[in-house]
Amino acid sequence: MSLVTKNVFYKSEDETQSKLPRKSVQEQQPEDENVEGSEDENTLIFEESDDDERDTEDKNESEDDRDEGKIGESQLEAEHSQPLSVRSTTSDANGQPPKKYAFKLKQTESGNILTVHHTVQESGKTQRIRIAAACFNEFSNQLIVIDKRGNVFVFDFVCKRYWHLNFRIPKVCLLLPSPLHKSDYIVGNKLGQILTVDVNSSLLVNLNNIGTSAIDELSFGTRIQSSKASNSLLRFGHEAMLFNLQTLNVSHQLEFNQSRYTLKLAGYLPNSDQFFTCFTNDSVHIWSTVSLNTLQIAHPIKMRNRKLRLLPTSESIPEFALRPPNDSDVEDELTFSCQDQDYADGYLLSYCFTPDGNKFGLSTLDGYLLVLSTVTFDLDKLYRLRDFILKQFVFLPLPKERILFGITARSQAIMLDLAHTEFKLFVQSENAESLCLSRDGKLLSVLSRCGEVNIWSTCRLYNTLHAQTNCLKVLHSAFQQKKPLPACNVSGCMHQEIRKLLKRDRLSAILHEYGCYPEKYRFLIWTTLLELPCNGRDFQQLLKLGVPPIIKNRAQDLKIRSDSLKRAVVKVWSCLAQWCKVFAYADFMPNLIFPFVKQLPKNGLVAFELLVTLLLNHFELWFEFHPMPPANYLAMCENLLQRQDEQLCKFYKALQLQPKDYIWSLLSNAFSEVLDEQQWLAMWDNVFTEPPYFLIFLAVAYNLINREVLLRLPDKSAVQWFFHEQNPIEVLKLIAKARKLMDNCQPDLHPKRFIQNLTPLPKEAYPKFLRYPSECITQHEEHSVMQAQLHQDIDARIRHLELEESKVMERLHKGLQQEEHTRRIKEMEKLYEETLQREEERLLCQRKMLLLYQKEVRQRKSEVLTQLQESEQRRKALEMEKEIDALMRSIERERRRQNQEMLLAEDEIRNEEMEILAQRYFSQTSTAPLAQKYYDNIQKLCRERDHLQKNLREMTMNQLDRSSRTCPETSPELMEIERSILEIQREFCEVLNSERRE
C-alpha cells in the first residue's frame, strides 16, 4: 500500500468575503426534515411564531411558563436560497444582541437532566424539526445544537441560559468543538463545506469549500497552533484530506493506489502527529504526517481469529448479552440491515480511543469488541457481543477504560461495564442514533431519530449501574440454586371448549368449500386435527438435555439469515434428536423442520409435537433404509405414476432419473421449495385433514400436472432443477388431482395397505420411534465418537503445533529483531563513518579554500601595495619632474644670465679691445695684451663652471640610483619618465660640453 498525495491549496473564503454585507444565511429544507410531534412535560421546546405573536408572548412571559418547559421562542426567518458567506456580526437584524432565555434542569433518578427538541407552528399544525447534530465544548459547560433547517442554539449550563444565533448553516452533518478557541466550533455539512463558528460573538469566523459530498470524520493532530503545518484530517466517503485548522486550507489530498479495497475509516492518533487509515480489507495502516509513508500495518481481524484459535478449551473470552440466556423464543430482527452494511466492506465497523489515548477500540459486524494498544497495535483485550453489535461507542474517562457507552444496531443506547460483563444498563431503549460525551465525562448527549436530544448525567447512570450490580450480587448470593425453566404456555387460545367445537367433519366441510382454513385459526385447527397433547413437561426435559454435538456442528452450515429463526430450528431439531437419535443424522431434517418452525417461531412445543406426529404417521417409512432414501415409500409413488402415465415414466427412465429425483426432492422439504407460502399452507391444511398417505398422491399429482413441461425439458439436470424451484401451479387443482387419484386408486396399489390411519400422540409421554436401522446408527455414533476424538486429538495437536510455531516465531522474531538491531547498528555506524568522512572531506576542502582565499588575499594585498608604491612613485616622479623643471628653468635662467653676462662680457671685452686697439692705435705703445691681463679671472670662472657641472651630474646620478633600488620592477610609465629625464640630462650635458668647447 502506497500513498499518492496531491498538493492542493484552496483559498479560504474569509479572504474574499470577510467584508461582505450582513446577510441571513438560510436554505430551503426538504419536507422529510419535519417530523410531527407534540410537546412533552419537562422537555425543552423551541417554538417559532410570527413577529406579532412573539412580541406579545415576550411581554407576557412569566416564571411559571419557564417551569413548564416553554423557555423561549425564536423568530422564523423567511426561507430563501443564498450562498453561505463569512460575515462579522454580533447582533440580530434589528441591531440588538441575541436574546437569552432561562431553562431548568430536570431532577430525575433516571439521569435524564434535559431533553431538547425544536417545535414550530406551520399552517396550523405542530411540526417538530429534527436535530441534525449536537456536541459539548472543550470545558463541558456549553452544548450547541443545530437542527435540519440550520438553526443554531447554544445552551450554557453555568448560567442556565440558551440563545439562538442569527444565522443558519445548511445541511449540517458534523459538529465538533474547536481546539483553538474555547468559543469556536467546527461545522461540516453535506455540501462539503468546513466552517468555524464563534457562538459567543454569534459570527462565522472562517469558511472553505473542500469537497462536494458529506463530511464523515474530522480529527486533529498535535501541532494545532501552527498556521502552516497540516494538523487536521478530514474524511468524506472513500477520500481523505490533510488541511490546516487555522486557515482551513487543504494541503494534501490523500489517494490510495488500490482498486481492490477502498478507504473506510481515518483519523489522527491521540497525542501524536501520526494518523491511521482503515480499509475495507480490515487492515489498519499507520502513516507519518511528515513523510506520508507507512510506518506500521496491523490486521485486527487476523489477530482476533488467531487468539480465538489458540484459546485453550478451558478458557473463554468475556461475553456481553442484552437478552436473558433463556429468552430463545423471542423473534427479533436482523442484527443489521444488509442494505446498510455488508461483509464485502469488511468486518470492522467503528472505532474509538480511550481518553488517555493508550487504547484503540474497534467494533466488528460479527459481534466482537477489540481493544488494541496504540503503541504496538497488538490485541490487548477481546470481548464477545453475543446478540448485538456496536455502531458507535465511547469510553468514560473514570473509572479508567472500564465503562463504555454505545449505540447498537437496534438503535439502543447502552452502558457496559468491561470489568463485569454480566452487568449492563439500557440508557435509551429505542430510536438512539448517535451520542456525544463531554470532555470531562460528566454529560452524555443522545441524538434520537424522533428529532430530539436527551442529555444524561453519567454520574447518575454510573450510580444506577452500580446499584443494579450490588442488587444482582445480593440476589445471586441469596439464590444459589439453579433457576428452573419456566413452564411452557402452549397456545393460550387453545381452550378445550373451542377444541370440542372443531370437529373433523365440520373442518372438512370448510376445507371443501374454501380450499383452506382461516388464517387466524389455522394453527388451532392443526393442533385439533392432529390432537396434539401439549406435553410441556416432557418438552422441557428434552430442552434440558441441550443440543447434541452433531447438530451443533451441522447448525453452523445452516443458511438462515434470521438468527432467531435459526435458533428456533436448532431447538426443535435438538429435541427431535434427543427423542430419537436417527433424526440427528438425517441430512434432510433441517429442510423438513424449517417451514413448520417458520410458521410457529414463538411456539416451539407445538412445532415439535406437530413434527413428532408427522414422523410417527406420515413419515414413518422414510427412515427404513437410513441414510439412503426410503425405497419402499418411493416405490409406491413410482408404481402409481407408472399406472397413471407410462410415457412420463419412460421419459424419466430414458434420462436415467430415479424416484429420488422427482419424488423425494418434493417430500424431503415438505413441498416448501416448489410452493409459495400461501400455497404451502393450503396444501398442508388438506394433508392434515386427509389420511397420512395423502402425501404420496400429492407427489404423483404434482408430476402429472406438470407432465407437459417436464416432457419438453432437454436433459437430466433441467428435470432435477425443476423439482427444486417454484413453478406456476394452482394448488387447488393439485389437491383436487391428488384427491381424485386417491379415490380412484386400485386396491393393489393403494398405500393404505402399508400406512395406517392417523394415530395421535398420547398425553402422558411421547412414544418411541423405532422404524429405523438402529445398528447403523450405533455404528455411526461409534464412528462419530472416534472421529470426534480424532478431531480433538488433531485440534490439540494443531494447537500444540501453533503454540510451538508461535514460540518459534517469537524466538525468530526476537532473533530477527536482534539481527535487525545489529544490522541497523552497522548501518548507523556505516552512516556515521560516511558522515565523518564527508565531514573530513568538507573540512579539507574548506582548508584548501581557506588557503586559496589567503593566497588570493596576499595577492590582492601585494597588488594593493604595488599600486600604492606605483602611486607613490608617480607622486615622487611628478615631484622630481617638477624639481627638474624648476632646476632646468633655473639652469636656463642661469645660462641666459651667464649668456647675457658673457655677451656683456664679450661686449665689454670688445669694447675694451676696441678701446685697447684704440689706445694701441692712439698710443702705439708696446703694452701687454688683455688676455694676459684678465687671464686669472677667466680661469677662475672656468673652474667654477666645471665645479657646478660636476655637482649637477653627481646629483642626477644619485637620484637615478635611488630610483633603481626602490623599484626594481618599474612600470612602463616610470621607464618612460626616466628615459625622458635621461634625455634631458643628456641634452643638458651636451649643452655644457658645447659651451666648454666654446
Side-chain angles (χ1 to χ4, degrees), residues 55-162:
D55 295 338
T56 304
E57 291 179 0
D58 287 343
K59 294 178 182 178
N60 299 329
E61 186 180 15
S62 62
E63 293 295 329
D64 294 334
D65 295 333
R66 292 171 182 170
D67 293 342
E68 292 177 357
K70 296 182 180 180
I71 61 173
E73 300 169 349
S74 60
Q75 181 182 3
L76 178 63
E77 300 175 353
E79 297 289 336
H80 64 278
S81 298
Q82 283 187 349
L84 192 61
S85 61
V86 178
R87 56 197 179 87
S88 177
T89 177
T90 58
S91 60
D92 59 8
N94 298 324
Q96 300 295 329
K99 186 176 181 179
K100 296 184 179 181
Y101 305 91
F103 68 91
K104 288 185 178 181
L105 299 179
K106 295 187 290 185
Q107 301 294 330
T108 60
E109 296 181 357
S110 64
N112 185 203
I113 62 174
L114 185 66
T115 299
V116 179
H117 64 80
H118 191 182
T119 304
V120 298
Q121 295 288 338
E122 292 183 354
S123 301
K125 295 182 179 180
T126 301
Q127 290 186 345
R128 179 176 297 176
I129 303 175
R130 295 180 58 189
I131 303 299
C135 77
F136 299 96
N137 65 346
E138 288 290 328
F139 299 97
S140 306
N141 56 10
Q142 275 188 356
L143 173 71
I144 182 171
V145 175
I146 304 179
D147 62 15
K148 290 288 186 178
R149 292 187 178 180
N151 297 304
V152 184
F153 298 92
V154 184
F155 298 85
D156 194 329
F157 293 101
V158 177
C159 60
K160 301 296 189 301
R161 293 289 187 274
Y162 85 94

Side-chain angles (χ1 to χ4, degrees), residues 467-482:
Q468 175 185 341
T469 303
N470 295 335
C471 181
L472 290 176
K473 287 181 179 179
V474 172
L475 291 175
H476 287 169
S477 61
F479 301 95
Q480 294 295 333
Q481 67 275 16
K482 186 176 180 180

Side-chain angles (χ1 to χ4, degrees), residues 40-44 104-116 427-428 443-446 448 452-458 460-461 464:
D40 229 353
E41 238 183 5
N42 295 328
T43 301
L44 187 61
K104 288 185 178 181
L105 299 179
K106 295 187 290 185
Q107 301 294 330
T108 60
E109 296 181 357
S110 64
N112 185 203
I113 62 174
L114 185 66
T115 299
V116 179
V427 179
Q428 188 168 319
L443 296 176
L444 176 71
S445 68
V446 179
S448 302
E452 64 184 19
V453 177
N454 293 306
I455 312 301
W456 301 81
S457 171
T458 57
R460 297 181 186 177
L461 293 175
T464 303

